[in-house]
Amino acid sequence: MAKFSSLFLTAVLAAVVAGSSSWQVADINLSIVAKDGTKKAEHKLVYPKAISSADAFAADPTDHLKLSFKLENKERPHQAMVRFESKDDHADQIMVAASVKKVSGKGRFELDFAKSHKKFKYGTRKYDMTLLVGGPQVEESLQYALGEIEVQGPSTNPPVRAARVAYEVQPEIYHQFRADQKLINVAISGLFSLLVLSPVAVLIGLWSQLGIKFEPLKALAQNPVDLIMAVIFFGSLAGIEYVFYSYWTHVTLFPVLQYLGVLSVVAIASGRSVLSAVQTRRLKRTEKANDANKKEI
């Protein structure tokens, strides 16, 4: 029983999928109506048959082209339109939208050639008409060839269509790059490099005159933990500078952000430890000085 039920469900699902794989169209009526309302031509079609080439189907610039049809699917299309493709060398394609009612599935299309003269302006031409229907719920779209129609162009001074452009191979383009700029003289470049570095020499000279003492470094050397944290701190600062240099030269942004994220955490943690050690030693020196002053008093 369970096996029979599973087979039955499989058959039902297959039938549903098969029924929704293509659009089903019926009650197709195509007609040309004159300006006064009289029908000049009418064709009732059965899909997939089209208008016979022996039947004259022509429209004047003031006529109306009407199309009605019905979709027998439960699904409704997302788009429906009629495509007119000219049967000449230009192969122009003109798209005109059609409307489909959601409840009944009846479709309607009407084209007023008098109002669409800008689209059908290049004299008398023949067009292949195709009904296009498509939607996301049906796998295969409908492309129904309705047949051929001849549309009469303007009776006076129709615009002349330019000849179709013939695309051919053009002559090869040879690029000429500018010659490299001449480099400045090495002596002049070296002179200005020395001028840029001269403030560093002045700074070192002033330090020697002031007699700078490196007592903090000596104190750090006495405590191995503080020394290691100081080396890590200054090393992380140097690493950050190197990351910036790499970003300016060859490294992209995202790797730079990763490296900076790691080095910043290391610099913050080690820098806090080093500054705490410096502050502790400073407070001890202050306490010793205060005690010495009290003894003298």
Side-chain angles (χ1 to χ4, degrees):
M1 184 67 182
K3 184 176 180 181
F4 175 77
S5 300
S6 61
L7 292 175
F8 178 74
L9 290 176
T10 304
V12 170
L13 290 175
V16 171
V17 172
S20 302
S21 62
S22 61
W23 293 101
Q24 306 296 325
V25 60
D27 299 338
I28 307 163
N29 191 357
L30 187 62
S31 62
I32 296 178
V33 181
K35 187 177 181 180
D36 57 1
T38 59
K39 289 186 178 181
K40 298 175 62 175
E42 183 177 11
H43 295 278
K44 293 184 178 181
L45 304 175
V46 178
Y47 181 79
K49 293 184 178 180
I51 300 174
S52 175
S53 58
D55 297 332
F57 201 65
D60 293 331
T62 58
D63 292 342
H64 289 242
L65 176 64
K66 294 184 178 182
L67 170 67
S68 62
F69 57 92
K70 182 179 180 181
L71 296 175
E72 296 182 344
N73 303 68
K74 293 181 180 180
E75 300 82 4
R76 293 295 172 255
H78 182 67
Q79 284 185 338
M81 61 183 65
V82 177
R83 180 181 65 198
F84 295 83
E85 185 173 357
S86 62
K87 301 184 66 174
D88 53 16
D89 294 336
H90 297 286
D92 293 332
Q93 291 189 1
I94 302 170
M95 302 288 189
V96 184
S99 61
V100 178
K101 294 182 178 181
K102 293 184 178 180
V103 178
S104 61
K106 292 183 178 180
R108 181 176 177 272
F109 167 84
E110 183 173 354
L111 176 62
D112 186 357
F113 289 104
K115 295 181 179 180
S116 305
H117 63 281
K118 292 183 179 180
K119 297 180 180 179
F120 301 89
K121 62 182 180 179
Y122 294 111
T124 301
R125 303 169 76 186
K126 291 183 178 181
Y127 298 87
D128 284 329
M129 297 180 296
T130 305
L131 175 63
L132 304 176
V133 178
Q137 297 179 344
V138 178
E139 180 180 356
E140 184 179 354
S141 61
L142 175 67
Q143 297 187 22
Y144 178 20
L146 298 172
E148 180 183 296
I149 184 173
E150 183 179 35
V151 181
Q152 301 292 330
S155 58
T156 57
N157 300 325
V160 179
R161 181 67 179 271
R164 189 171 184 177
V165 179
Y167 296 96
E168 298 177 353
V169 178
Q170 299 297 318
E172 185 176 356
I173 300 175
Y174 294 94
H175 296 279
Q176 295 182 355
F177 298 96
R178 294 181 180 179
D180 295 336
Q181 295 182 356
K182 293 182 179 180
L183 298 177
I184 196 170
N185 194 349
V186 178
I188 298 175
S189 178
L191 175 62
F192 279 94
S193 298
L194 293 176
L195 290 176
V196 171
L197 297 176
S198 60
V200 178
V202 174
L203 179 62
I204 294 174
L206 293 175
W207 280 352
S208 64
Q209 294 294 328
L210 294 175
I212 296 178
K213 300 179 181 180
F214 296 94
E215 293 181 357
L217 294 179
K218 294 179 180 179
L220 288 174
Q222 296 175 359
N223 191 344
V225 177
D226 293 341
L227 180 60
I228 293 173
M229 296 305 295
V231 171
I232 294 175
F233 175 63
F234 288 108
S236 61
L237 293 181
I240 291 174
E241 294 296 332
Y242 179 75
V243 169
F244 282 125
Y245 168 76
S246 301
Y247 176 63
W248 293 332
T249 55
H250 61 279
V251 181
T252 57
L253 179 60
F254 290 104
V256 166
L257 294 177
Q258 295 175 359
Y259 299 147
L260 287 179
V262 176
L263 291 174
S264 298
V265 173
V266 175
I268 292 172
S270 59
R272 183 175 181 180
S273 176
V274 171
L275 293 176
S276 298
V278 172
Q279 183 68 14
T280 301
R281 287 191 299 272
R282 185 177 298 173
L283 292 175
K284 288 181 179 180
R285 288 197 302 268
T286 304
E287 290 177 357
K288 289 180 180 180
N290 292 334
D291 293 339
N293 292 332
K294 288 179 181 179
K295 290 179 180 179
E296 292 177 358
I297 294 174

